């Protein structure tokens, strides 16, 4: 049985808590949040509630799970270097690449078992696409296109928060694009930025990037175009089209949820649909991202490694070049 401390009361309670409760060999001991009113609505037996994250290091905790803003996250990760507890955290790793690089170097040097929640790398259909690419069933990949539009609530409300401030680890580069760049490397190998275009909106002293277009190339000379765009309302559209020598795959969703309702369609060289898949799970979670968190934690318990952390760090290298 592993004793768990959960830090964060927004996505922590919505995304992580149901997963922790569903895994038999996890025992939630502490929930930490500065918002005591919020966590007071989640009364659980044998769970200790604290408002100071440093208190969790004085307890018998095996794994710390962080769902907090990047600035606070980097403080906690660095503090953990002394205690060397297993730790799971969110992206971005910190508020800037230079700090992220130092943090990961220290984690590896101290041999701390750590994992980052890169949602799509634990999605069953994304994993299936990876296998299709690896097996070369339709030949080599020629190119790919990614389109993702979504609603940014804080931007639409012109709210100045860490989520709209790139210097605090927010903005669509850090919250959305890091996911895309990570799964691009997951699919195609290490990726390099060829060119970029952005459109910005100014409010309350911030230059918010509301539109980002990238042209990418990877080590096997695979070209890709990525377009991210904010919108005022409606479901998000997330579509990945990968063209092979003898066919193509399209992975897409149109949903309010980040990861639910994805559909994978596979076409042959004559553009005939030959296979179609939908995400299926026996688990029932309200937030679709909990399915991927469940998969991520199970992998972490069995065989932790730094692969996904490296993907995220590499995505931050590209992010810092987009002005």
């Amino acid at each position: 049985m592993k004793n768990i401390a959960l830090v964060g009361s927004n996505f922590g309670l919505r995304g992580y808590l149901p997963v922790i409760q569903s895994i038999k060999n996890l025992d939630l001991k502490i929930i930490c949040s500065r918002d005591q009113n919020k966590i007071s609505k989640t009364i659980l037996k044998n769970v200790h509630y604290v408002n100071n994250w440093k208190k969790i290091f004085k307890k018998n905790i095996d794994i710390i799970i962080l769902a907090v803003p990047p600035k606070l996250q980097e403080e906690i990760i660095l503090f953990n270097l002394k205690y060397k507890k297993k730790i799971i955290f969110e992206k971005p790793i910190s508020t800037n690449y230079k700090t992220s690089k130092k943090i990961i170097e220290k984690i590896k040097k101290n041999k701390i078992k750590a994992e980052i929640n890169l949602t799509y790398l634990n999605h069953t259909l994304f994993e299936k696409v990876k296998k299709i690419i690896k097996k070369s069933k339709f030949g080599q990949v020629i190119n790919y296109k990614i389109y993702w539009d979504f609603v940014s609530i804080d931007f639409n409300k012109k709210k100045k928060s860490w989520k709209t401030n790139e210097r605090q680890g927010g903005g669509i580069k850090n919250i959305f694009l890091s996911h895309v760049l990570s799964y691009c490397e997951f699919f195609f190998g290490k990726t390099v930025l060829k060119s970029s275009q952005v459109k910005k909106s100014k409010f309350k002293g911030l230059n918010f990037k509301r539109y980002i277009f990238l042209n990418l190339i990877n080590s096997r000379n695979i070209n890709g175009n990525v377009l991210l765009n904010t919108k005022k309302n409606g479901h998000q559209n997330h579509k990945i089209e990968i063209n092979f020598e003898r066919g193509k795959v399209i992975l897409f969703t149109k949903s309010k949820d980040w990861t639910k309702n994805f559909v994978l369609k596979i076409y042959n060289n004559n553009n005939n649909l030959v296979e179609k898949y939908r995400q299926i799970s026996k688990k029932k979670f309200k937030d679709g991202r909990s399915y991927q968190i469940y998969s991520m934690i199970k992998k972490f318990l069995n065989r932790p490694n730094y692969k996904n952390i490296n993907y995220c760090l590499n995505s931050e290298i590209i992010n810092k070049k987009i002005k």
Side-chain angles (χ1 to χ4, degrees):
M1 187 69 70
K2 301 294 183 182
N3 293 337
I4 307 298
L6 176 61
V7 186
S9 58
N10 288 321
F11 188 55
L13 298 182
R14 189 173 66 253
Y16 280 96
L17 179 59
V19 176
I20 295 167
Q21 293 173 318
S22 72
I23 299 176
K24 291 181 180 179
N25 58 335
L26 298 185
D27 188 8
L28 182 61
K29 292 295 187 182
I30 300 174
I31 295 178
C32 176
S33 173
R34 287 174 292 188
D35 190 343
Q36 292 295 293
N37 290 328
K38 186 172 289 185
I39 63 173
S40 66
K41 298 174 183 177
T42 310
I43 302 300
L44 301 171
K45 289 183 179 180
N46 303 318
V47 175
H48 186 50
Y49 296 87
V50 299
N51 61 5
N52 185 338
W53 57 265
K54 289 185 179 180
K55 291 181 180 179
I56 66 179
F57 290 92
K58 298 176 182 179
K59 304 294 182 180
N60 180 24
I61 296 297
D62 298 302
I63 303 173
I64 299 170
I65 297 176
L66 305 181
V68 296
K71 181 62 178 175
L72 178 57
Q73 177 167 278
E74 66 184 63
E75 287 182 44
I76 300 173
I77 296 173
L78 288 171
F79 192 82
N80 185 50
L81 294 174
K82 176 183 175 181
Y83 295 88
K84 299 183 180 181
K85 292 184 182 291
K86 296 177 183 178
I87 192 164
I88 295 172
F89 47 89
E90 290 287 307
K91 54 89 199 127
I93 299 162
S94 73
T95 54
N96 61 80
Y97 169 71
K98 187 177 180 180
T99 303
S100 296
K101 186 172 183 289
K102 287 181 179 178
I103 286 173
I104 299 309
E105 285 174 350
K106 289 179 180 179
I107 284 177
K108 291 179 179 179
K109 184 179 179 180
N110 286 276
K111 298 180 180 180
I112 296 170
K113 293 181 179 178
E115 181 59 285
I116 192 164
N117 177 29
L118 291 175
T119 304
Y120 298 103
L121 304 195
N122 296 292
H123 194 293
T124 54
L125 293 183
F126 281 71
E127 291 172 331
K128 189 167 189 64
V129 170
K130 170 76 171 180
K131 289 178 182 177
I132 292 170
I133 295 170
K134 189 175 181 179
K135 291 180 179 179
S136 302
K137 182 177 179 181
F138 299 97
Q140 298 301 308
V141 175
I142 300 171
N143 55 49
Y144 61 92
K145 294 182 289 185
I146 297 167
Y147 175 76
W148 192 3
D149 71 10
F150 43 82
V151 175
S152 173
I153 296 172
D154 281 13
F155 169 61
N156 288 343
K157 291 180 177 179
K158 299 297 183 285
K159 181 180 177 181
K160 190 173 183 178
S161 69
W162 77 264
K163 290 184 179 180
T164 52
N165 190 335
E166 281 189 12
R167 290 187 176 182
Q168 294 180 13
I172 67 173
K173 279 202 317 182
N174 294 307
I175 296 175
F176 294 89
L177 184 58
S178 58
H179 277 301
V180 174
L181 294 173
S182 295
Y183 71 61
C184 282
E185 183 172 348
F186 176 68
F187 287 152
F188 313 114
K190 198 161 186 178
T191 305
V192 176
L193 177 66
K194 288 180 69 178
S195 63
S196 64
Q197 298 174 15
V198 301
K199 295 178 183 178
K200 303 176 184 178
S201 292
K202 294 184 178 182
F203 68 96
K204 297 181 179 178
L206 298 176
N207 278 318
F208 184 85
K209 295 180 179 66
R210 54 185 170 80
Y211 169 102
I212 297 176
F213 175 80
L214 305 181
N215 182 231
L216 305 170
I217 190 166
N218 90 320
S219 55
R220 289 179 289 167
N221 209 34
I222 300 171
N223 278 281
N225 291 330
V226 175
L227 175 59
L228 271 65
N229 186 50
T230 60
K231 58 184 181 181
K232 290 185 177 179
N233 52 55
H235 290 10
Q236 64 170 306
N237 295 284
H238 193 167
K239 182 180 179 182
I240 304 164
E241 181 176 326
I242 304 172
N243 294 299
F244 295 82
E245 293 172 314
R246 300 187 300 276
K248 68 179 178 182
V249 301
I250 297 176
L251 180 59
F252 66 95
T253 186
K254 185 175 183 180
S255 174
K256 287 184 178 180
D257 190 281
W258 278 55
T259 66
K260 283 182 179 177
N261 306 316
F262 264 99
V263 176
L264 173 61
K265 292 185 176 181
I266 304 172
Y267 298 84
N268 62 19
N269 203 33
N270 296 319
N271 208 31
N272 295 321
L273 179 65
V274 291
E275 294 178 71
K276 182 178 178 180
Y277 300 92
R278 293 183 182 273
Q279 181 185 1
I280 299 173
S281 178
K282 294 179 181 179
K283 298 286 180 183
K284 298 294 181 183
F285 295 120
K286 188 174 182 180
D287 190 308
R289 290 169 292 181
S290 294
Y291 293 98
Q292 287 75 54
I293 290 172
Y294 179 89
S295 176
M296 179 261 293
I297 290 178
K298 294 290 281 187
K299 291 174 187 174
F300 180 67
L301 292 172
N302 291 330
R303 190 178 295 176
N305 62 68
Y306 299 123
K307 188 177 290 185
N308 289 352
I309 290 174
N310 292 335
Y311 289 147
C312 186
L313 195 60
N314 290 338
S315 77
E316 291 188 27
I317 294 174
I318 295 176
N319 269 345
K320 74 186 180 87
K321 296 177 180 179
I322 301 167
K323 306 298 184 182

